[in-house]
Amino acid sequence: MVEVRARTYDGALEAVIGDDGVAGAEPGGGAGLVGPSDRVEAIGGRLSVRSPPGRSTTLMVRLPLPQDAQEMGGEVSPDR
């Protein structure tokens, strides 16, 4: 099962994605996280991974919101 939580906070979109699998995910470790991490950083965001041995994996993403989205309360129009 995968759980996704998201909120807007302090001018950014924060998302937490967790699974109920067995850990082993880490950027650079062949888990497919280098590309997403690079893309998040390219737009001024952060991606972190928590994946303790034998436990579930959690990705935490923080992306800056464009100013017009911040003025709308964090909602981004579908044409973006």
Side-chain angles (χ1 to χ4, degrees), residues 23-59:
E26 62 180 76
L33 295 172
V34 172
S37 181
D38 289 346
R39 287 191 276 291
V40 166
E41 290 176 11
I43 61 171
R46 289 188 318 234
L47 177 118
S48 58
V49 179
R50 185 176 57 215
S51 189
R55 309 278 311 267
S56 61
T57 297
T58 303
L59 301 176

Side-chain angles (χ1 to χ4, degrees), residues 1-38:
M1 180 167 63
V2 174
E3 178 183 358
V4 178
R5 291 177 288 151
R7 70 178 185 157
T8 58
Y9 179 75
D10 195 27
L13 171 66
E14 295 180 338
V16 178
I17 303 105
D19 70 17
D20 59 356
V22 178
E26 62 180 76
L33 295 172
V34 172
S37 181
D38 289 346

Side-chain angles (χ1 to χ4, degrees), residues 66 68-69 72 75-80:
D68 60 337
M72 295 186 309
E75 296 178 27
V76 179
S77 64
D79 61 333
R80 291 202 156 236

